[in-house]
Amino acid sequence: MAAAAENIPKVLAKLQWMRDQQIWPNGLRYLWTDAHGVCLLLSLYKELQDEKYLKEAESVVADVYRVLGRPRGLRIGEEPDRDGQYYHYLTKWMYALHQLGKVKPEYHERAVKLAKDIHHAFYVPGVGVRWKMMEDLSGPYPGYGLGGLDFYDGFVMYRLLDPSALSAEIVNMQQLVMKNYKSFSCTQDLGLGECLWMSHFFPDEDWAKTLRHRSEVTLDSMWEQTGEDRGYFCRHPAHRKTVFGFTNSGVSYGLQSVGLWPERVSQLHKFFETYKSDDAYDTKSITHVMHCNSLFPGVMLT
């Protein structure tokens, strides 16, 4: 964590740049990015002991609910084409509320309520978890099926939040995890990073050991060395030159959560210090907020 703390000046400079460019936290709301951003602000609050970051985290939460909040759950994003609800976005938001709830308990209560509000809309008994739902949770979003990793998200997040209050929901997810983990396979960079991250909360359990081992093997095959001191993880083993900044950031904090390949984490950071995709992602909040969490994961690892 000490090495990550050395990156705080870079993180603060990036955060100020995002504010100046009205990218984040004063840009359009997007639930996945906002969840990571709330965690970033809480990490800074805890490290620097500066109340302004806690207040800003609460301000982001309030604005997310104002813009994206629905009677049950939260919309994906503010832009017109970001309709519907993603289960894995909702669980990431639960994690942000969980971390904020360690400082202010009322946010923990919100996280538990959110889990209960949305669980049965997404959960298909004995089968899986729907990846995307209509915005009012009245039914599956057309063209979308089951999420490949979503039941792991739910299993981990519910247990972190409240094993007692969410005991029935945990049993639902546990049955899916136990049914599926031995055949686990993933070939997408961010998904693999998320699996490492999820595995670190319960590292001694067989499902977590399996996810970590298989994710490590696959990611190892996806590493692209681009110079003596830099490199990146490709999007998919069959697409060596396809690279995304935000997905590599997710891999980075996943690796840091399990203490794997610190030298590659450093090389990844060096690569993305100057990398430009020359498309919309160069100014997307998801790119820069997740990069900050990569440099300084903070509460992402607790």
Side-chain angles (χ1 to χ4, degrees), residues 46-61:
K46 291 191 174 184
E47 182 69 22
L48 302 176
Q49 293 295 297
D50 190 332
E51 289 283 334
K52 74 179 181 183
Y53 295 111
L54 176 60
K55 290 178 180 177
E56 191 165 27
E58 290 191 272
S59 176
V60 171
V61 170

Side-chain angles (χ1 to χ4, degrees), residues 3 17 29 49 62 68 86-87 99 107 126 130 133 160-161 171 185 192 196 198-199 206 226 246 250 254 273 279 286:
W17 175 81
R29 300 269 64 98
Q49 293 295 297
L68 305 181
Y86 280 138
Y87 183 78
Q99 291 297 336
Y107 291 100
R130 296 186 177 98
M133 292 288 291
L160 292 177
L161 287 177
V171 168
S185 177
L192 292 163
L196 290 177
M198 288 187 285
S199 77
D206 286 344
T226 62
F246 77 92
E273 279 181 2
D279 59 21
I286 192 172

Side-chain angles (χ1 to χ4, degrees), residues 20 26 29 31 34 43 59 79 84 104 115 130 166 192 214 253 259 266 291 294:
D20 292 343
N26 50 352
R29 300 269 64 98
L31 190 60
D34 289 326
S43 298
S59 176
E79 293 180 293
K104 297 203 167 183
R130 296 186 177 98
L166 296 170
L192 292 163
R214 294 184 187 174
Y253 70 67
S266 296
H291 179 64
S294 170

Side-chain angles (χ1 to χ4, degrees), residues 89-132:
Y89 281 29
L90 293 165
T91 55
K92 194 68 74 177
W93 184 247
M94 290 174 205
Y95 185 77
L97 294 177
H98 167 63
Q99 291 297 336
L100 190 51
K102 292 180 180 180
V103 184
K104 297 203 167 183
E106 62 266 28
Y107 291 100
H108 173 264
E109 295 171 10
R110 279 200 195 186
V112 174
K113 182 179 185 303
L114 175 59
K116 285 193 166 292
D117 282 348
I118 61 97
H119 175 78
H120 287 290
F122 283 91
Y123 172 64
V124 183
V127 178
V129 175
R130 296 186 177 98
W131 186 24
K132 185 177 182 180

Side-chain angles (χ1 to χ4, degrees), residues 69-301:
R70 298 296 181 264
R72 287 194 300 156
L74 297 105
R75 178 185 163 99
I76 291 167
E78 185 172 355
E79 293 180 293
D81 63 343
R82 302 300 187 184
D83 59 322
Q85 297 195 40
Y86 280 138
Y87 183 78
H88 64 294
Y89 281 29
L90 293 165
T91 55
K92 194 68 74 177
W93 184 247
M94 290 174 205
Y95 185 77
L97 294 177
H98 167 63
Q99 291 297 336
L100 190 51
K102 292 180 180 180
V103 184
K104 297 203 167 183
E106 62 266 28
Y107 291 100
H108 173 264
E109 295 171 10
R110 279 200 195 186
V112 174
K113 182 179 185 303
L114 175 59
K116 285 193 166 292
D117 282 348
I118 61 97
H119 175 78
H120 287 290
F122 283 91
Y123 172 64
V124 183
V127 178
V129 175
R130 296 186 177 98
W131 186 24
K132 185 177 182 180
M133 292 288 291
M134 298 293 288
E135 200 161 307
D136 61 359
L137 300 184
S138 59
Y141 199 94
Y144 288 78
L146 300 176
L149 303 175
D150 292 50
F151 47 83
Y152 296 108
D153 288 315
F155 185 48
V156 169
M157 216 52 58
Y158 295 169
R159 293 170 72 189
L160 292 177
L161 287 177
D162 195 325
S164 177
L166 296 170
S167 58
E169 291 83 358
I170 290 169
V171 168
N172 291 159
M173 294 302 185
Q174 183 177 32
Q175 290 172 343
L176 295 174
V177 169
M178 294 303 114
K179 176 183 175 182
N180 288 279
Y181 84 87
K182 291 181 181 178
S183 60
F184 165 78
S185 177
C186 179
T187 53
Q188 187 230 54
D189 55 350
L190 182 55
L192 292 163
E194 288 292 305
C195 285
L196 290 177
W197 181 70
M198 288 187 285
S199 77
H200 99 274
F201 292 105
F202 304 101
D204 297 326
E205 297 182 5
D206 286 344
W207 69 269
K209 292 178 181 178
T210 298
L211 263 62
R212 173 176 172 166
H213 173 69
R214 294 184 187 174
S215 297
E216 178 180 345
V217 169
T218 305
L219 279 170
D220 191 36
S221 74
M222 294 166 63
W223 176 251
E224 284 286 304
Q225 193 78 37
T226 62
E228 185 178 337
D229 62 349
R230 60 196 63 211
Y232 65 84
F233 291 94
C234 63
R235 180 65 164 160
H236 183 280
H239 303 288
R240 310 297 307 179
K241 302 304 178 185
T242 302
V243 54
F244 290 99
F246 77 92
T247 61
N248 270 263
S249 294
V251 174
S252 171
Y253 70 67
L255 292 172
Q256 291 176 76
S257 74
V258 296
L260 185 62
W261 303 332
E263 70 290 346
R264 283 184 175 174
V265 170
S266 296
Q267 291 177 14
L268 182 155
H269 290 164
K270 283 192 176 183
F271 179 85
F272 286 101
E273 279 181 2
T274 57
Y275 175 76
K276 298 288 185 184
S277 58
D278 294 322
D279 59 21
Y281 279 109
D282 283 340
T283 54
K284 288 279 188 183
S285 59
I286 192 172
T287 300
H288 302 289
V289 172
M290 289 191 68
H291 179 64
C292 288
N293 273 341
S294 170
L295 291 172
F296 182 57
V299 302
M300 296 300 294
L301 310 187

